[in-house]
Amino acid sequence: MNDQESTTHFGFSQIPRSEKVRRVGQVFSSVAQRYDVMNDLMSFGLHRLWKRFAVELAHIRPGQSVLDLAGGTGDLTRLITPLIGEKGRVVLGDINGAMLEVGRERLLNEGIVVDVIQLNAENLPFANNSFDLITIAFGLRNVTDKEAALASMYRVLKPGGRLIILEFSQVYLPPLKPIYDLYSFRILPLMGKLVAKDEDSYRYLAESIRMHPDQETLKNMLIDVGFERCDYHNVDGGIVAVHRGFKL
């Protein structure tokens, strides 16, 4: 195994591949209790609109089965549940137990009962052709082996099923880029320090966005593992993008 194969990025740092799950786990365990507050603050509430847009693009129908990957505190699950109705099923999955506990408690407090499973997206513990829809919001960039995760998602989707990826992406408006960089690397870590008491985790989050594949690269990754009719929709100048792929 060469150096490129044995290491991966953790933000802007290179670390052993075997260390990434643990390091990312530490980040999200640290911020779990303040995660939702920080999402509202650092996106000025826009993350709620981004998530609604992603769910709209999924064209969910009553009775469908949905896997909400990297679902964390349950924002997408909360939006999806009323759309599938009583005969549908939502599974909330995340690799991080602390995030899942926050999500489970929030959902139960709102009267929403779903299956909650701690899992690794690279090796999903479900049979082939299990779900009509898989969503993953702001989680793919934290996965060590993205190709393996996408292939695993493809495997467990039913024929005719679709994948929706909502993720921070590459800003394509030149005037916006310096402002976004200033915000990401100066203001965001400061907010993390003051609100979540964790400057380093939010510095990592800013760096991880820059290391994530750009829109076209991610689209081609979907195609490479078998997805068809792949497209993406840029939102707010490419700060985020919603990718779709279909298993036909």
Side-chain angles (χ1 to χ4, degrees):
M1 180 177 291
N2 61 39
D3 289 342
Q4 186 176 7
E5 292 173 331
S6 62
T7 63
T8 189
H9 60 82
F10 178 77
F12 291 159
S13 303
Q14 286 291 315
I15 61 172
R17 291 177 68 87
S18 58
E19 281 288 297
K20 185 160 182 177
V21 169
R22 183 184 65 82
R23 296 278 293 272
V24 171
Q26 289 177 336
V27 168
F28 285 95
S29 294
S30 173
V31 304
Q33 293 298 326
R34 304 295 288 173
Y35 183 77
D36 293 312
V37 172
M38 278 297 295
N39 276 351
D40 281 330
L41 287 174
M42 67 184 185
S43 74
F44 305 102
L46 288 173
H47 76 99
R48 299 179 183 274
L49 299 178
W50 299 335
K51 290 168 181 172
R52 289 186 181 279
F53 178 60
V55 170
E56 288 173 5
L57 287 175
H59 301 298
I60 298 168
R61 297 189 300 274
Q64 290 190 321
S65 57
V66 182
L67 172 60
D68 181 16
L69 270 181
T73 58
D75 278 355
L76 259 64
T77 293
R78 182 181 297 100
L79 296 173
I80 292 167
T81 300
L83 299 176
I84 60 167
E86 294 182 358
K87 295 184 179 180
R89 179 193 183 205
V90 180
V91 176
L92 173 62
D94 200 294
I95 198 170
N96 188 276
M99 293 286 286
L100 280 176
E101 282 303 311
V102 173
R104 186 204 309 267
E105 183 175 348
R106 285 184 62 195
L107 292 170
L108 286 175
N109 287 341
E110 297 178 23
I112 300 173
V113 180
V114 299
D115 295 327
V116 178
I117 301 177
Q118 188 169 359
L119 48 73
N120 189 328
E122 296 174 25
N123 187 21
L124 295 172
F126 305 108
N128 295 352
N129 310 321
S130 293
F131 296 96
D132 298 292
L133 169 68
I134 297 175
T135 61
I136 179 167
F138 304 117
L140 185 62
R141 73 181 188 281
N142 297 307
V143 174
T144 304
D145 189 336
K146 295 174 179 59
E147 291 83 358
L150 293 173
S152 189
M153 295 177 210
Y154 183 86
R155 178 184 64 80
V156 303
L157 274 174
K158 298 177 182 179
R162 72 207 73 87
L163 169 64
I164 297 289
I165 302 171
L166 171 62
E167 188 55 89
F168 290 108
S169 201
Q170 300 299 314
V171 172
Y172 63 85
L173 295 177
L176 181 58
K177 193 175 186 305
I179 299 170
Y180 185 53
D181 286 345
L182 174 66
Y183 175 77
S184 298
F185 295 113
R186 297 292 183 88
I187 298 174
L188 182 56
L190 178 60
M191 291 171 62
K193 178 180 180 179
L194 296 175
V195 178
K197 312 302 180 187
D198 190 341
E199 180 178 0
D200 290 342
S201 289
Y202 283 91
R203 181 175 292 108
Y204 158 74
L205 291 177
E207 293 178 359
S208 70
I209 292 168
R210 300 316 192 278
M211 299 301 293
H212 186 64
D214 65 20
Q215 290 90 325
E216 282 293 323
T217 302
L218 181 53
K219 178 183 175 181
N220 288 329
M221 290 169 67
L222 290 173
I223 294 170
D224 287 344
V225 300
F227 285 100
E228 299 183 53
R229 292 168 51 195
C230 299
D231 62 12
Y232 61 84
H233 300 259
N234 284 313
V235 184
D236 291 334
I239 290 176
V240 299
V242 181
H243 281 73
R244 290 191 300 184
F246 294 81
K247 180 178 180 178
L248 302 181

